[in-house]
Amino acid sequence: MAYPDFPYRIDTQGRTATTDRFDVIRDRIEQVLFTEPGERVMLPTFGCGLHRLLFAGVSESLVENTRTLIATSLQTWMPQDIELTDVEVHFDNGALFIDVAYLVLPDGDPGQASFVREGAA
């Protein structure tokens, strides 16, 4: 089955670009992680709010709090799509690195998504 790609774009044939389920899941994870709560009008609590952490002082407690925030947000907003198996977070040279491991539901196929955001302190 083909799904509309995110962000929305037109393909080379002038139609809506499509992708597979694994890419859709990865795109949805990215949306949850990098959407600020209050950013979506009809879903004011949607999102993780990681941008506010990018300039926080790096510490072990910040890393653990970030990991917990990510896991909680994904379990809240994607319970029918994925079963979270692992979240790794680290800050390095002013960047936030996130690795998310999950099982795609309902089949249980393993998936992995990695994200980097510049600007962390």
Side-chain angles (χ1 to χ4, degrees):
M1 178 177 216
Y3 300 87
D5 200 7
F6 177 84
Y8 182 83
R9 63 185 174 81
I10 303 298
D11 68 12
T12 57
Q13 297 173 346
R15 293 182 263 177
T16 297
T18 59
T19 190
D20 62 21
R21 178 153 170 77
F22 288 101
D23 190 46
V24 167
I25 295 294
R26 188 215 175 276
D27 292 345
R28 288 181 185 166
I29 291 170
E30 184 173 15
Q31 289 176 53
V32 170
L33 295 182
F34 299 108
T35 298
E36 290 293 314
E39 194 173 314
R40 292 197 176 177
V41 175
M42 298 303 285
L43 290 172
T45 59
F46 179 83
C48 192
L50 290 178
H51 290 292
R52 68 178 176 255
L53 302 174
L54 289 178
F55 298 101
V58 178
S59 67
E60 286 301 315
S61 64
L62 175 67
V63 169
E64 187 56 34
N65 288 343
T66 303
R67 194 178 118 10
T68 302
L69 177 64
I70 290 168
T72 302
S73 295
L74 291 174
Q75 289 167 348
T76 299
W77 293 106
M78 299 185 69
Q80 293 86 18
D81 297 316
I82 63 171
E83 179 182 325
L84 201 57
T85 57
D86 191 30
V87 175
E88 294 292 327
V89 173
H90 70 277
F91 294 86
D92 188 29
N93 290 331
L96 170 63
F97 294 85
I98 302 166
D99 293 309
V100 180
Y102 53 90
L103 301 175
V104 178
L105 300 177
D107 300 328
D109 297 325
Q112 171 96 19
S114 297
F115 305 95
V116 178
R117 282 298 185 260
E118 300 293 326

